[in-house]
Amino acid sequence: MCGITGYIGTESAGSIVHQGLKNLEYRGYDSAGIALTGDTLSIHKTEGEVDELPVPSRDDVVCGIGHTRWSTHGEPTTENAHPHTDCTGKVAVVHNGIIENYDDLKADLRDTHIFESETDTEVIPHLIEDHLDDGVSLRTAVQRTTEQLEGSYAIGVTATGHDGIIVAREDSPLLLGHSDEATFIGSDATAFIEHTNRVTYLESGDLAHITHDDITIYNDGERVTRDTETLDWDADTAGKSGYKHYMLKEIHEQPRALRQAISGRVNDLSTSVDLDVDLPAEYLQSVEEIQIIACGTSYHAGLYAADLLEEHADVRTSVEIASEYDFTGGRDPWRTLVVAITQSGETADTLSALREAERAGARTLALTNTLGSTVTREADDTVFIRAGPEIGVAATKTFVSQVATATLLAVYLGQVRNTLSTDTASELLAGVRDLPGAVQQILDQEHSIKTTAEEYADSDAFFYIGRRSGYPVALESALKLKEISYDHAEGFPSGELKHGPLALVTPDTPVIALLTEETAPKKTLNNVKEVKSRNAPVIGVSSDPETTSHVDTTFDIPDCGPMEPVVANVALQLFAYYVADEKGRPIDKPRNLAKSVTVE
C-alpha cells in the first residue's frame, strides 16, 4: 500500500531514488514523485506509473526521497501525488498509511496554510512548517508532528537548510539499508537490494535522523539502537530473470521455495519435524482451540491448515477473516492459540486482529515470509515460510509455502500433543518432501495449460469447485483469475453448486473441478454431471485417469497423496496467468490492487 524510498550518499540521488520507485512499484502505481534536497528543494511528480516520471537530472544532489502511490485519499492525480510540501516550498514529505485525524488537523491549519491536494498526508508538512517556525531542529519538528498524528504512518522528510533525512514509523513498515558509502530508506528491502542487503528494521514509535556521517534512532524521545541484519537474497533474486512477468517467474520459483520451506525441518529419514518453536510443549498440549486469522490468499492457506490441524493435532480450529475478528464468547484465552498468517508481516487487518487476541490474553504464533516484519516482533513466536521475495501482486509461491509450512506445523503439534501416529506422520511428510518435484512436473506441462487457457480466455465467467482441502484451493484459484484477468470467477464447495450458483452455469462458463485425492472426487463427479447436463465445459484437475474420463479437458497432477490439492493449485495459477496474458492484462500491476495492504 504505497512505497517509500530514499537515499543519502555520494552519488546522484535522482537516478537512485527513481530506480527505487521502480523496484517498489508493486506496492502502488497510481502516481509517483521524487523530492531532491540541495541548496533548493526540487519536486518531480506525475500521475500514472513510475515510467511516466522522468529521471531528475540534478547530478549535484546526493539526497532525496521518493514515493509510488496506491490511492486512498484523493484520486490518482499529479496534485495528490507525493511528495507533499509546506507553504514555503522548503519541506517535503512522503507518507505511507492513513492519518485518521487529518480532518481535524486540516481544519486547524486552514486559516494560515494553503492546501493543494485532497490527501491526508498534506497536513504533515504544514505541521512541520509550524514547528520549524519555533526555531527547533527538523528532528524536533518531526517528533512534535508525529505526536499530533493518529493512525498509521511511515514518513520520510527532507528540508532545505536542514541536514539529511528524517524518517518515522507507527505500524506501517520502514527500514534502512546500509552500504559503505550511503544509507537508503525503503518500505521494504526491494527498494535498494541492488545496492545492499544489510538492513535495519525500524520499530513502531521509532524516529531516525539520517545524515551523510551518522544515523541516530530515537523512540519516545530517547536514543535507541536497532540491530543490523543481512538478508539472504540479492538483486538477481528480486529481478525478473528473463521472464515476461514477475508472476510467471514466481510460479516457476515454487519448487525452490518449497525446498527452502522444508530445509532443515524434516529429512528423508525422519518422521519428526523441527520448527524451532519456542512455545512451551506443556502449553501446546493444553491448547483447546486454535484460531487462524488472515486475509486474502493467506486466509485460503488458513482454511487448508485448519483441516490439517483438526485432524492431526486433534484441536478445534477456526479460521476468521482478520478484518472481522473479535475475541469474544466463551473462549478461554489461556487455552487458545491464535495463528496469524501474513505474507508481508505488515497486513494491517491481521495485525489489528493479533493485537485483539493478545489483549484478551491468548498466546500468538505468526506464519510469515518477512524477517523483521511487525508481526514477528508482536507475536509470541514465529515460523517463517522462507519463500523468498515475492514481487507480483497476485501471490503464488507464498501460498504453496504457507500450506507446506502449515502442514509441518500440523505434524509438529500432532507429535507434541501425542495425537499423530508415526505412520500418518510419515505419509504427510513424504507428501511434503515430494512437493518440489511434483510442482516441477506441473511446470513441465506449461505449454498444454497455456493452450487450454487461450481456448477459454473469452468465457463469460469461471467457476471452481472442490470438496475438503479442494475447497480452499478452489477459492484461491478463483481469486488468482479475477485478480489478474478481471474476469468473474468464483470458488464453491462442490455440493453448494446446486444451491444457487448452478443458475449461472451456461455453455460459456467453464467449471474447473478439483478431483484430486483427499477431496472426495467421486462426490464432486456428481456435480460435474450436473454442469455437463447444462452443456458447460469442465476442466478436471486430478491424478486419476478414471476420474478425469468424465471431463472435457484434464490437467494431470502427479500422485502425491494428501498434498495433491496444493499441486493442483500450481496448474491453476498457470491457467489464470495465461488467460490474463491472452487478454493483454498488466499482470504484475492489476488495477486497484497493491501487494502489501498496510491500512485497514
Side-chain angles (χ1 to χ4, degrees):
M1 190 78 71
C2 304
I4 289 173
T5 188
Y7 169 82
I8 181 167
T10 59
E11 301 180 41
S12 172
S15 58
I16 293 174
V17 173
H18 192 277
Q19 182 58 52
L21 294 181
K22 285 293 296 177
N23 295 352
L24 288 174
E25 200 167 18
Y26 63 93
R27 296 181 67 94
Y29 32 85
D30 290 337
S31 59
I34 294 172
L36 299 178
T37 314
D39 295 335
T40 60
L41 180 69
S42 60
I43 304 292
H44 312 263
K45 301 201 291 188
T46 186
E47 62 181 90
E49 299 181 3
V50 175
D51 282 340
E52 302 299 318
L53 180 68
V55 178
S57 59
R58 292 187 60 183
D59 294 337
D60 60 318
V61 178
V62 294
C63 178
I65 55 177
H67 187 273
T68 180
R69 182 170 182 252
W70 190 86
S71 301
T72 51
H73 291 78
E75 296 180 359
T77 63
T78 301
E79 291 77 16
N80 289 331
H82 300 214
H84 290 290
T85 58
D86 68 330
C87 294
T88 69
K90 294 181 179 180
V91 177
V93 172
V94 292
H95 163 234
N96 185 14
I98 289 181
I99 306 304
E100 295 174 356
N101 61 333
Y102 88 100
D103 274 332
D104 293 337
L105 293 171
K106 193 170 184 178
D108 292 339
L109 291 164
R110 276 191 184 279
D111 290 342
T112 53
H113 294 267
I114 298 173
F115 286 83
E116 305 287 348
S117 77
E118 304 167 89
T119 69
D120 56 334
T121 302
E122 199 180 357
V123 299
I124 300 174
H126 291 296
L127 290 170
I128 293 171
E129 177 188 359
D130 277 357
H131 293 305
L132 287 175
D133 286 344
D134 293 336
V136 301
S137 67
L138 182 61
R139 179 180 72 81
T140 300
V142 174
Q143 179 69 60
R144 291 181 180 179
T145 296
T146 60
E147 291 168 358
Q148 297 175 263
L149 305 179
E150 297 175 6
S152 64
Y153 56 80
I155 60 174
V157 183
T158 187
T160 57
H162 298 269
D163 190 19
I165 301 170
I166 307 292
V167 297
R169 67 155 295 195
E170 184 67 44
D171 292 338
S172 292
L174 197 64
L175 61 156
L176 310 180
H178 312 280
S179 73
D180 293 340
E181 302 294 334
T183 301
F184 305 81
I185 66 172
S187 298
D188 61 49
T190 311
F192 47 74
I193 196 61
E194 65 265 45
H195 300 286
T196 182
N197 64 348
R198 292 188 290 125
V199 302
T200 297
Y201 294 93
L202 298 180
E203 299 186 6
S204 282
D206 281 357
L207 181 148
H209 185 190
I210 307 160
T211 68
H212 288 86
D213 303 319
D214 195 18
I215 300 171
T216 50
I217 304 174
Y218 304 85
N219 192 294
D220 198 23
E222 299 294 326
R223 189 164 180 173
V224 296
T225 59
R226 303 291 181 223
D227 293 336
T228 296
E229 302 174 12
T230 301
L231 301 179
D232 61 355
W233 47 280
D234 54 25
D236 290 338
T237 307
K240 288 184 184 177
S241 303
Y243 287 93
K244 186 175 182 180
H245 295 98
Y246 281 112
M247 182 180 179
L248 185 60
K249 170 181 177 271
E250 289 155 5
I251 289 173
H252 278 266
E253 287 177 340
Q254 288 176 115
R256 174 183 170 186
L258 287 164
R259 284 191 290 269
Q260 291 172 172
I262 299 166
S263 177
R265 292 170 169 172
V266 60
N267 60 52
D268 292 339
L269 302 177
S270 175
T271 57
S272 64
V273 172
D274 181 9
L275 287 182
D276 194 26
V277 173
D278 292 331
L279 292 171
E282 295 81 4
Y283 165 73
L284 295 175
Q285 290 163 358
S286 72
V287 165
E288 297 176 353
E289 180 181 4
I290 293 176
Q291 298 168 13
I292 297 174
I293 49 176
C295 304
T297 288
S298 296
Y299 172 74
H300 301 153
L303 291 173
Y304 202 110
D307 285 344
L308 295 168
L309 290 165
E310 288 215 334
E311 181 176 357
H312 302 300
D314 191 26
V315 58
R316 182 173 68 253
T317 305
S318 62
V319 190
E320 297 193 43
I321 294 173
S323 59
E324 299 296 313
Y325 179 77
D326 189 17
F327 197 100
T328 57
R331 302 163 175 168
D332 181 356
W334 297 103
R335 296 288 182 267
T336 302
L337 174 64
V338 177
V339 179
I341 305 179
T342 161
Q343 181 277 136
S344 67
E346 304 290 352
T347 309
D349 291 320
T350 305
L351 289 172
S352 179
L354 183 79
R355 292 161 187 156
E356 165 75 11
E358 290 174 331
R359 283 192 294 269
R363 289 276 186 93
T364 56
L365 175 69
L367 261 67
T368 187
N369 193 39
T370 311
L371 183 73
S373 57
T374 300
V375 77
T376 67
R377 293 192 294 273
E378 298 196 6
D380 292 316
D381 208 347
T382 300
V383 177
F384 291 100
I385 67 170
R386 302 174 175 172
E390 186 176 70
I391 308 301
V393 169
T396 51
K397 64 179 181 176
T398 51
F399 175 75
V400 299
S401 297
Q402 285 170 339
V403 172
T405 306
T407 304
L408 297 181
L409 177 64
V411 173
Y412 175 80
L413 291 179
Q415 292 175 333
V416 169
R417 293 166 61 85
N418 297 313
T419 59
L420 184 64
S421 71
T422 300
D423 288 345
T424 302
S426 179
E427 181 185 5
L428 283 168
L429 295 179
V432 172
R433 285 192 293 263
D434 289 344
L435 270 175
V439 169
Q440 187 58 56
Q441 290 183 56
I442 296 299
L443 298 176
D444 292 342
Q445 302 176 40
E446 182 173 7
H447 179 73
S448 63
I449 296 172
K450 177 177 183 287
T451 300
T452 301
E454 291 169 348
E455 177 185 351
Y456 289 107
D458 291 331
S459 300
D460 291 341
F462 298 80
F463 300 110
Y464 294 75
I465 58 174
R467 294 175 186 266
R468 298 179 182 170
S469 54
Y471 171 52
V473 171
L475 291 175
E476 172 61 15
S477 300
L479 176 63
K480 287 287 95 57
L481 188 68
K482 70 179 74 172
E483 282 179 318
I484 62 172
S485 74
Y486 310 154
D487 284 329
H488 179 72
E490 291 189 67
F492 304 102
S494 301
E496 283 297 294
L497 195 63
K498 58 184 176 291
H499 293 287
L502 198 59
L504 301 174
V505 171
T506 74
D508 295 317
T509 57
V511 175
I512 297 92
L514 277 298
L515 301 168
T516 59
E517 189 175 333
E518 305 290 320
T519 66
K522 291 183 179 179
K523 284 188 175 183
T524 297
L525 279 176
N526 294 328
N527 308 110
V528 167
K529 293 172 184 176
E530 291 171 345
V531 299
K532 290 283 286 181
S533 68
R534 274 78 178 175
N535 297 316
V538 178
I539 300 172
V541 190
S542 179
S543 63
D544 185 353
E546 181 180 344
T547 300
T548 55
S549 63
H550 301 278
V551 304
D552 298 291
T553 305
T554 302
F555 295 156
D556 292 318
I557 303 301
D559 184 358
C560 53
M563 303 311 296
E564 278 188 20
V566 186
V567 183
N569 171 257
V570 177
L572 298 177
Q573 291 171 354
L574 285 170
F575 179 76
Y577 173 84
Y578 282 110
V579 168
D581 194 47
E582 177 70 10
K583 291 174 173 289
R585 303 300 193 209
I587 290 173
D588 285 334
K589 303 173 185 177
R591 68 187 179 203
N592 303 332
L593 300 178
K595 182 66 177 172
S596 180
V597 183
T598 57
V599 294
E600 293 185 76

